[in-house]
């Protein structure tokens, strides 16, 4: 079929979307902050019962309707009411996430290049190098953001099959190889067993309601839910393909990579006697110092590690823009080129605003109500728009879609019991979990 994924292409592309900074940068530091093993266990449950459930929800809507997000909601609804098009708002969070995701990927690209030179040898130097990059070095940040944004635009211009599928076909195996290499290296370190212990021996004392919500939020982010990315990719999945099996494979790959990244990073940290709870600076500050102590080998590892992050991030980034492209192409008859120029310019400019808002020079003019533009974009998407989208998707499927239709689609691939469990989760459990997360993020509970 023209411009459709092959089955393997879909799995790779959806896994490429899912596996990103969320797995290699965020998962290890959040796990570190919440003390390891117990958090990992809660996270696994969140992936299994909530993340996978919503993933299947997006996939079933997309594959059934074979359209852009707005049209898919209309087509799948019982009433076929045109007002469901407003559900299409969720695609814009993809563009906003992409704008600052591209900036962060730019920082990582900067670390790829610094790894060729001299890495900072103590955490003070590493901290100030990072600080200088984001608060003073406007020119470098703009150049790196431009390179990343340009690559994303170049890839999506070529379409689903020759652009997105192809880049995933190349980068995902390479990412896997680099991570395997790093994992083998960490096997050789004495601290590997400490890392294993840290990640799998549950210490329940650190688990409170914040940890539960962090695990839930992480499960959503890492599976790329709540912006219509999975829905849009699924719309290019052949109609008879087994979306349940593909979704399960994606969730397993995503989880396996997060765990692998965690084992690698904690082995490195413990080997150097560093803290596991360093927060977001873990990858940008703690790791370079460790690598610098390992001489040339450290440099090679550093380059591989940051290249892996760039690869993982690029395949996620292309999935954030695709929902908007499909929306303009299908609903407004834009050519792919015109849609890409429009959406590409929007996220590129938002990205520049985001990066400027953290520099000393522009901080004041780009801070509103105590939050800079970068933090606003992050907050508006991950704390407001994405949870709302997820709640909307569940309520939609649970209450506004013909249950018979869903049953027919699911039971072509799984047993009736599995369908019933999924339906119960989507109708009652998941909405309650997300509403709790949502109210908590807004500081209401
Ligand atoms: N899942 C990716 C990660 O873990 C990020 C990502 C890709 C994403 N597409 C998304 C997050 C859509 C939210 C929405 O890094």
């Amino acid at each position: 079929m023209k411009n459709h994924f092959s089955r393997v292409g879909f799995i790779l592309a959806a896994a490429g979307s899912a596996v990103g900074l969320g797995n290699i940068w965020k998962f290890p530091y959040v796990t570190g902050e919440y003390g390891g093993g117990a958090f990992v266990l809660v996270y696994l449950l969140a992936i299994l019962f909530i993340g996978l459930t919503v993933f299947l929800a997006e996939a079933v809507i997309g594959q059934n309707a074979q359209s852009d997000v707005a049209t898919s909601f209309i087509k799948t609804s019982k009433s076929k009411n045109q007002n469901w098009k407003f559900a299409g708002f969720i695609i814009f969070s993809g563009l906003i996430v992409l704008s600052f995701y591209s900036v962060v990927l730019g920082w990582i690209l900067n670390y790829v290049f610094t790894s060729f030179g001299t890495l900072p040898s103590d955490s003070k130097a590493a901290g100030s190098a990072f600080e200088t990059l984001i608060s003073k070095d406007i020119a470098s940040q703009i150049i790196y953001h431009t390179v990343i944004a340009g690559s994303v635009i170049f890839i999506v211009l070529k379409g689903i099959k020759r652009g997105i599928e192809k880049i995933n076909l190349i980068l995902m195996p390479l990412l896997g190889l680099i991570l395997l290499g790093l994992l083998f290296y960490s096997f050789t370190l004495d601290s590997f067993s400490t890392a294993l212990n840290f990640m799998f021996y549950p210490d329940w004392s650190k688990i409170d309601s914040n940890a539960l919500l962090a695990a839930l939020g992480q499960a959503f982010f890492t599976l790329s839910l709540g912006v219509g990315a999975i829905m849009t990719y699924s719309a290019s999945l052949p109609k008879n393909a087994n979306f349940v099996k593909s979704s399960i494979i994606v969730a397993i790959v995503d989880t396996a990579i997060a765990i692998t990244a965690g084992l690698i990073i904690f082995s490195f940290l413990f080997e150097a006697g560093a803290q596991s709870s360093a927060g977001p600076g873990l990858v940008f500050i703690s790791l370079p110092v460790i690598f610098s102590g390992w001489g040339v080998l450290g440099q090679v590892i550093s380059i591989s590690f940051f290249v892996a992050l760039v690869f993982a991030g690029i395949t996620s980034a292309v999935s954030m823009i695709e929902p908007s492209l499909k929306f303009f192409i299908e609903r407004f008859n834009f050519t792919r080129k015109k849609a890409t120029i429009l959406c590409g310019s929007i996220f590129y400019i938002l990205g520049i605003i985001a990066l400027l808002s953290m520099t000393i020079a522009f901080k004041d003019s780009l801070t509103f109500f105590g939050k800079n533009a970068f933090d606003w974009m992050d907050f508006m998407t991950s704390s407001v728009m994405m949870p709302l989208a997820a709640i909307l998707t569940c309520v939609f499927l649970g209450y506004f879609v013909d249950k018979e239709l869903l049953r027919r689609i699911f039971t072509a691939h799984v047993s009736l019991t599995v369908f019933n469990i999924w339906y119960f989760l989507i109708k009652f459990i998941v909405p309650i979990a997300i509403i709790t997360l949502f109210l908590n993020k807004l500081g209401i509970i």
Side-chain angles (χ1 to χ4, degrees):
M1 225 181 284
K2 201 177 148 277
N3 227 6
H4 263 59
F5 284 119
S6 66
R7 195 173 119 82
V8 175
F10 170 79
I11 293 178
L12 276 179
S17 167
V19 175
L21 302 182
N23 303 60
I24 308 179
W25 164 63
K26 200 163 176 205
F27 174 74
Y29 90 70
V30 185
T31 302
E33 283 180 332
Y34 288 106
F39 180 82
V40 174
L41 209 64
V42 175
Y43 169 78
L44 292 178
L45 293 175
I47 290 277
L48 182 64
F49 288 106
I50 315 243
L52 186 57
T53 306
V54 179
F55 195 104
L56 286 169
E58 285 204 21
V60 75
I61 298 176
Q63 192 192 24
N64 177 55
Q66 305 266 311
S67 309
D68 64 279
V69 172
T71 316
S72 294
F73 269 91
I74 300 171
K75 272 193 183 170
T76 313
S77 68
K78 234 183 315 205
S79 63
K80 311 282 184 255
N81 189 326
Q82 291 295 319
N83 284 331
W84 281 111
K85 67 171 180 261
F86 292 110
F89 83 89
I90 68 181
I91 60 175
F92 295 110
S93 20
L95 280 188
I96 304 174
V97 174
L98 178 53
S99 55
F100 63 84
Y101 203 83
S102 172
V103 172
V104 177
L105 275 175
W107 300 342
I108 294 167
L109 200 54
N110 167 78
Y111 275 76
V112 172
F113 294 121
T114 2
S115 306
F116 283 95
T118 338
L119 289 163
S121 57
D122 61 77
S123 50
K124 203 155 162 263
S128 80
F130 182 59
E131 189 58 34
T132 306
L133 173 69
I134 61 170
S135 67
K136 302 210 184 90
D137 199 346
I138 297 179
S140 302
Q141 286 198 85
I142 290 189
I143 292 171
Y144 291 127
H145 169 56
T146 308
V147 173
I148 298 286
S151 316
V152 170
I153 288 170
F154 178 77
I155 296 163
V156 295
L157 258 182
K158 291 185 178 294
I160 286 275
K161 190 104 192 149
R162 289 190 312 130
I164 296 181
E165 176 163 329
K166 197 160 168 200
I167 196 74
N168 278 289
L169 221 53
I170 302 170
L171 294 188
M172 289 304 283
L174 285 177
L175 170 67
L177 278 181
I178 298 179
L179 287 177
L180 270 183
L182 292 171
L183 184 66
F184 276 119
Y185 180 68
S186 53
F187 273 147
T188 67
L189 301 174
D190 293 337
S191 301
F192 186 77
S193 57
T194 323
L196 213 55
N197 212 24
F198 178 72
M199 283 192 61
F200 294 108
Y201 184 79
D203 168 9
W204 292 105
S205 70
K206 294 252 175 54
I207 297 297
D208 53 11
S209 61
N210 285 334
L212 299 183
L213 292 167
L216 185 57
Q218 174 64 12
F220 269 101
F221 187 81
T222 193
L223 290 177
S224 307
L225 301 172
V227 310
I230 299 306
M231 204 180 289
T232 301
Y233 274 8
S234 307
S236 297
L237 190 60
K239 240 188 152 161
N240 56 359
N242 186 338
F243 72 99
V244 181
K245 200 161 142 200
S246 303
S247 304
I248 294 174
I249 296 177
V250 173
I252 291 177
V253 170
D254 184 75
T255 308
I257 293 197
I259 302 271
T260 307
L263 285 173
I264 294 171
I265 290 175
F266 290 122
S267 302
F268 290 177
L269 286 174
F270 295 145
E271 192 70 15
Q275 285 296 326
S276 57
S277 56
L282 196 66
V283 159
F284 293 116
I285 299 170
S286 313
L287 282 185
V289 178
I290 296 172
F291 296 148
S292 106
W294 292 348
V296 179
L297 179 66
Q299 258 175 315
V300 174
I301 293 181
S302 183
I303 295 165
S304 322
F305 178 79
F306 287 111
V307 166
L309 262 178
V310 173
F311 286 179
I314 289 278
T315 54
S316 297
V318 293
S319 78
M320 297 177 190
I321 190 173
E322 187 58 25
S324 304
L325 300 183
K326 200 170 174 69
F327 176 79
F328 285 110
I329 292 170
E330 299 204 348
R331 287 196 74 90
F332 293 94
N333 276 321
F334 276 32
T335 58
R336 187 165 257 280
K337 192 165 160 197
K338 190 168 160 196
T340 308
I341 293 173
L342 174 70
C343 302
S345 317
I346 295 176
F347 94 78
Y348 179 70
I349 293 168
L350 283 177
I352 303 245
I353 296 174
L355 74 86
L356 289 179
S357 79
M358 282 185 299
T359 60
I360 294 171
F362 292 93
K363 193 165 61 195
D364 291 339
S365 40
L366 290 170
T367 294
F368 315 94
F369 304 102
K371 255 197 223 317
N372 65 34
F374 188 109
D375 292 340
W376 269 115
M377 292 180 199
D378 181 20
F379 174 79
M380 281 310 292
T381 49
S382 57
S383 302
V384 183
M385 292 166 74
M386 282 155 55
L388 279 181
I391 296 168
L392 178 72
T393 308
C394 297
V395 172
F396 175 69
L397 283 172
Y399 302 88
F400 296 94
V401 173
D402 180 18
K403 185 174 175 186
E404 259 326 290
L405 171 74
L406 295 171
R407 193 203 330 253
R408 252 200 339 267
I409 302 176
F410 269 85
T411 50
H413 307 296
V414 294
S415 69
L416 186 60
T417 318
V418 173
F419 167 73
N420 282 331
I421 296 174
W422 173 81
Y423 196 73
F424 179 75
L425 286 170
I426 213 78
K427 195 163 179 161
F428 302 108
I429 307 297
V430 180
I432 295 173
I434 309 171
I435 289 170
T436 316
L437 174 71
F438 181 54
L439 296 178
N440 176 277
K441 283 210 173 190
L442 295 185
I444 298 171
I445 55 170

